[in-house]
Amino acid sequence: MASMKTERYTPACTRAQREVEALIGGVVLKTIGKAAQNIALTKSGLVAKEVYLPQCGYTMYYHEREAVVDGKDKFDQDKRKLNQPTILFFHGITQRSEDLAGFIASLEIPPHVRILCPEQMGHGRDIDNRLRSDPDNSPRII
């Protein structure tokens, strides 16, 4: 019979070492994450935009990739742009609209298709701007 050898697990580092690694790793991951997100946004062609809706007093934030149309003159291009297909992407509950950039880039959607990714209320730039403009509305730690 073959004998089974068991080894006892011993932690390789102390709690303080793990906390330092987590802190440094978090900063590095955040920096790399931002850079990767910027690359994905560039590759997907998404551009951050906003529109003010005066009847409800709300600023809507979104990302858009405009359709590329071929046309001989400006009127022909405008006419074709109106008839271009549009794909609408919605992010998940814990995400932001720019989080979809990598996914959209991987789909290789043809350039004649317009892409819209609205920012859900209370997410992404919407919540960032609301908290910046109304600091009393920010979460408090008690």
Side-chain angles (χ1 to χ4, degrees):
M1 281 181 102
S3 65
M4 289 183 32
K5 195 176 188 182
T6 58
E7 293 181 21
R8 184 176 174 180
Y9 172 75
T10 55
C13 60
T14 66
R15 180 182 172 147
Q17 286 173 316
R18 286 193 304 269
E19 288 176 1
V20 169
E21 289 171 358
L23 179 65
I24 293 171
V27 171
V28 170
L29 284 176
K30 188 174 182 178
T31 304
I32 292 172
K34 279 282 190 197
Q37 192 170 43
N38 288 339
I39 291 168
L41 277 169
T42 302
K43 188 176 178 184
S44 69
L46 293 173
V47 177
K49 296 185 177 184
E50 63 185 64
V51 62
Y52 180 71
L53 308 171
Q55 288 188 345
C56 59
Y58 180 74
T59 301
M60 177 77 183
Y61 300 96
Y62 63 100
H63 280 83
E64 177 182 22
R65 184 189 81 179
E66 293 185 6
V68 176
V69 294
D70 295 327
K72 296 176 184 171
D73 59 24
K74 180 74 173 145
F75 177 76
D76 190 35
Q77 286 180 350
D78 290 343
K79 185 177 171 185
R80 287 185 184 195
K81 208 176 237 188
L82 290 174
N83 296 322
Q84 294 300 315
T86 299
I87 299 177
L88 189 60
F89 288 91
F90 290 97
H91 62 76
I93 196 164
T94 61
Q95 296 178 314
R96 306 164 65 105
S97 60
E98 62 258 21
D99 293 342
L100 294 167
F103 173 68
I104 290 170
S106 72
L107 294 177
E108 297 179 4
I109 299 169
H112 73 277
V113 177
R114 180 181 181 208
I115 299 172
L116 288 175
C117 304
E119 193 72 76
Q120 305 297 323
M121 291 178 80
H123 294 271
R125 287 187 298 153
D126 180 62
I127 193 71
D128 293 345
N129 289 334
R130 289 183 189 281
L131 292 176
R132 201 173 299 119
S133 65
D134 185 9
D136 293 333
N137 195 20
S138 62
R140 292 186 181 93
I141 299 174
I142 298 175

